[in-house]
Amino acid sequence: NAGVTQTPKFRVLKTGQSMTLLCAQDMNHEYMYWYRQDPGMGLRLIHYSVGEGTTAKGEVPDGYNVSRLKKQNFLLGLESAAPSQTSVYFCASTIPPTQGENTGELFFGEGSRLTVL
Amino acid sequence: GQSLEQPSEVTAVEGAIVQINCTYQTSGFYGLSWYQQHDGGAPTFLSYNGLDGLEETGRFSSFLSRSDSYGYLLLQELQMKDSASYFCAVRGGDNTDKLIFGTGTRLQVFP
C-alpha cells in the first residue's frame, strides 16, 4: 500500500549540477502536482499535470521542468541547480475534481529534501 | 492571481476551541480544503468544503462562504498533538486545474 513515493528523499547538489526527482503513485490518479516548501513557509506550486502526456506551469515554474510520460510517474527536473532551489519538494496526486465522490483530498509523498551548495 | 491569507500563528490551551480563518482572492473554484502538517512531515488532509456551509469531521469542522470569500477551520477539545501548521487550499481557482495553498497558520497548544 505505497500511495505516493518520492525518490530520492535527500540530496545535496553543487551549484550548476542537474538532477531529477521522481514521483510515483499507485492509486491510478489522473492529477499530479509538484510543490516546494521553504522553512516556515507554505507550499508553492511548481508544475502540475492533469493526465499522461500533459503538464502545466504553477506559481513558481522557473528553473524547473517536468514530464509525465506514464500516468503513474511525474518527474521534476532541475537543469542547473541554484542555492535558491534549496527546499523540501513534495509531490501529490488526486482524482479529477469532476469525478464522482471527489473530496478535494491530495495524497502527498514524504518529501525530498534538496540542498544546493 | 490567486491568493489565500491566513493568520501566521494562533495559540490556545488544551481543551479549548480555536478557529483558523482563511480569506481568499480567486473565483470559479471547486472547493476549499484544509491540511495539517507537523514539523518535518508531509501535509495530511483534514477536511473539504465543496459547498457553502459547515462540514464536521470528529473534533474538526470546516466552513465555507463563497459570497464572503472566506472559510475557517474549527478545532475543538484541543490536544497537545494538535500543535502543527494548518493550511487552507483552493482547487481549480481562476478556472485552472491548479491547487493553491494558503500562507499557513502555526497552532501552538499549551498545557
Side-chain angles (χ1 to χ4, degrees):
Chain A
N1 202 14
V4 179
T5 303
Q6 293 181 226
T7 53
K9 291 184 171 47
F10 300 92
R11 184 74 187 269
V12 178
L13 288 177
K14 293 182 179 178
T15 297
Q17 287 185 318
S18 63
M19 76 159 295
T20 299
L21 296 175
L22 170 63
C23 177
Q25 53 95 3
D26 61 3
M27 295 172 284
N28 202 34
H29 286 165
E30 290 288 342
Y31 284 45
M32 297 186 75
Y33 301 82
W34 273 109
Y35 294 91
R36 63 174 288 174
Q37 185 175 36
D38 300 324
M41 304 288 287
L43 293 97
R44 292 185 290 170
L45 180 63
I46 305 172
H47 286 281
Y48 64 101
S49 168
V50 301
E52 181 178 315
T54 72
T55 63
K57 294 181 180 179
E59 302 171 282
V60 289
D62 293 343
Y64 304 95
N65 57 76
V66 288
S67 65
R68 184 95 181 270
L69 299 179
K70 293 183 178 181
K71 185 177 182 179
Q72 63 267 34
N73 296 336
F74 195 26
L75 279 65
L76 178 70
L78 287 74
E79 290 186 347
S80 180
S84 60
Q85 294 178 303
T86 293
S87 190
V88 179
Y89 292 84
F90 286 103
C91 175
S93 71
T94 189
I95 60 177
T98 55
Q99 180 177 323
E101 299 175 1
N102 176 261
T103 62
E105 179 175 3
L106 271 182
F107 295 81
F108 280 88
E110 294 181 347
S112 297
R113 286 152 180 77
L114 175 65
T115 301
V116 183
L117 303 176
Chain B
Q2 305 173 62
S3 67
L4 296 90
E5 295 294 326
Q6 301 177 234
S8 59
E9 188 169 358
V10 174
T11 60
V13 296
E14 272 187 303
I17 300 173
V18 71
Q19 178 174 312
I20 298 174
N21 298 324
C22 174
T23 57
Y24 57 84
Q25 290 187 350
T26 188
S27 61
F29 65 97
Y30 292 104
L32 184 74
S33 301
W34 288 91
Y35 291 81
Q36 179 191 62
Q37 186 181 31
H38 287 98
D39 288 345
T44 56
F45 174 77
L46 292 176
S47 185
Y48 175 72
N49 292 78
L51 302 173
D52 281 10
L54 191 68
E55 291 285 339
E56 297 179 271
T57 309
R59 293 189 297 116
F60 298 165
S61 302
S62 58
F63 174 82
L64 173 63
S65 170
R66 291 173 188 262
S67 60
D68 295 322
S69 297
Y70 165 73
Y72 67 73
L73 178 70
L74 191 73
L75 297 87
Q76 303 181 74
E77 301 173 14
L78 282 174
Q79 303 174 9
M80 296 293 290
K81 67 178 182 179
D82 297 329
S83 292
S85 293
Y86 293 83
F87 297 91
C88 58
V90 291
R91 180 170 190 180
D94 289 348
N95 299 308
T96 71
D97 286 304
K98 295 178 181 178
L99 209 156
I100 304 296
F101 281 78
T103 52
T105 299
R106 188 165 185 84
L107 170 64
Q108 293 191 61
V109 180
F110 295 98

